[in-house]
Amino acid sequence: MEDLILVTGGAGFIGSNFIHQWLASEPARLLNLDKLTYAGNLGNLRSVESHAHCSFQQGDLLDRDLLRRIFSANRPRALVHFAAESHVDRSIHGPDDFIRTNVHGTFALLEETRAYWSALSDSERAAFRFLHISTDEVYGSLAPGDPAFTESTPYAPNSPYSASKAASDHLVRAYHHTYGLPVLTTNCSNNYGPYQFPEKLIPLMILNACEGKPLPIYGDGQNVRDWLYVEDHCRAIRAVLARGRVGETYNIGGRNQKNNIELVRAICALLDRLRPTDPIVPHEKLITFVKDRPGHDRRYAMNTEKIERELAWHPQETFESGLEKTVRWYLDHADWVRDVTSGSYRHWIKHHYAIEH
C-alpha cells in the first residue's frame, strides 16, 4: 500500500483548504477526485497544481468503474470524503442533485472502498481509514436555551440537504457495523474562510458591501450559527484521521455562536475600517431583511468536548481573528472572485435573495 490518501471533492471550499494544509504539513501523497460542479474550482488549487505530492482526477462518484481503477492504480491508505452538494437554498429548489451526490454517491464510494479494502492484507486493512465529512445540520434545530449538539444527539434533519447528509452518515455507520469497514465521521459547524463560493453568507456579505449592494438577511436576522474557521476545521480533520477511534463520530465547532445580524454587523465594521471609500459607508446601511427561507433552522451549536479531550484539538482562531483574515483574503483576491462570479451565479443570487419592498 502506497503512502497516499484519496480525497473526494478537493476542489471545493473545505476540500481545497484541506489540500493546501495537507501538502504543507504531511509527507503522504494526495490524489484529488472531483467532479468540478459549480462549486468545484481548480483555481482554488492553482498554487499547488504542480506540487510533486498532489495529483488530480476529474470524475463522478457514481462512476464505479473509475473508482475501481483509482483504487487499483493508487492503493490509498486512507480516504477523506468531502464531496457533497452543500447549500441548503439550492437543496430546497432542486433536491435531486443532493440525493444523487450525497446519498447515491456516498453509497457507490462505500461499495468500491469495501471491495478494495477487503482485498488488502490484514495489516493494510487494519491501517486503512475512511473519513466521512458531515455537518451539524443533521441534528436539526436548537431552541435558545437548549444545550449544544453532542455526538449522541438524535438526528432530526429539516432540509433536503441535511436529510441527504444524514442518510450518508447512516450509510457510513452501517458499513462499519455490518462489514467492519474502518470509518470515522466528523460533523462540523458553519465554516468560513478563503475559497468559499460567494453564495454563502460571509463572502456574499463582503462582496455585496464592497459594491454598495444590499446585504440580504433572512427573516429577523436572529438565526444562530457556530462559526468555525476553515483552517481550524482542517487541523481537526487531520487529527481525526491520524488518531481518531475507528467507528467514532467527532463534532467540530468554533465555539463562536453568533446570530446572523451580529455577524453581518461585524463584517460591516471591518469593511468600514478597511474600505472607507466604498460607495456606501457605513456599510451597515446596506443591511436589508428578506423573506425567510422555508424550514430555516433557528440555532446550531456544537459541543466539542470529545475531540478536545480525546485528540487534544482546539480552534486556534478567535471569531475576530478568523473573520478579519477572511475579509482581507477576499479583498486581496479580486481575480479569484471575478473568475467564480459568473453571469449564472448572479442570476442565482437574484432569484434566491429577492429583496422585499
Side-chain angles (χ1 to χ4, degrees), residues 268-315:
C268 289
L270 276 169
L271 289 172
D272 290 347
R273 173 162 57 87
L274 299 173
R275 302 262 302 198
T277 61
D278 276 350
I280 296 181
V281 176
H283 294 84
E284 194 171 317
K285 291 180 179 179
L286 296 165
I287 292 175
T288 307
F289 293 94
V290 300
K291 182 179 179 181
D292 209 353
R293 72 182 178 206
H296 194 181
D297 288 340
R298 193 63 171 172
R299 172 175 167 249
Y300 304 142
M302 290 293 248
N303 180 318
T304 57
E305 291 177 3
K306 180 176 178 178
I307 190 171
E308 292 173 1
R309 180 182 66 253
E310 292 191 10
L311 305 182
W313 172 88
H314 302 270

Side-chain angles (χ1 to χ4, degrees), residues 28-151:
R29 291 181 54 234
L30 182 150
L31 172 60
N32 173 24
L33 171 64
D34 198 296
K35 187 179 177 182
L36 297 182
T37 61
Y38 73 95
N41 177 13
L42 286 180
N44 297 354
L45 298 167
R46 190 163 291 132
S47 64
V48 296
E49 62 186 1
S50 59
H51 196 290
H53 285 183
C54 186
S55 53
F56 171 71
Q57 171 68 59
Q58 184 172 2
D60 191 329
L61 293 179
L62 290 174
D63 185 346
R64 296 192 38 182
D65 288 338
L66 173 62
L67 293 178
R68 214 166 291 134
R69 291 196 300 272
I70 288 173
F71 279 118
S72 176
N74 296 278
R75 296 181 56 77
R77 66 167 172 84
L79 189 155
V80 185
H81 179 35
F82 292 100
E85 296 284 349
S86 65
H87 195 264
V88 173
D89 290 350
R90 287 182 183 265
S91 81
I92 292 169
H93 293 276
D96 296 46
D97 287 342
F98 288 74
I99 303 304
R100 181 184 185 279
T101 298
N102 299 353
V103 182
H104 296 298
T106 299
F107 168 71
L109 187 62
L110 283 166
E111 277 288 274
E112 293 306 322
T113 303
R114 179 168 70 97
Y116 163 72
W117 171 78
S118 297
L120 296 175
S121 68
D122 290 347
S123 61
E124 289 172 334
R125 278 202 306 275
F128 185 82
R129 296 292 182 270
F130 182 112
L131 174 49
H132 174 62
I133 311 300
S134 190
T135 171
D136 57 0
E137 298 193 35
V138 298
Y139 298 123
S141 185
L142 293 169
D146 288 344
F149 300 131
T150 70
E151 290 81 359

Side-chain angles (χ1 to χ4, degrees), residues 241-256:
L241 185 63
R243 304 188 301 280
R245 287 186 291 134
V246 168
E248 292 293 313
T249 294
Y250 294 89
N251 282 354
I252 307 170
R255 292 184 175 264
N256 291 310

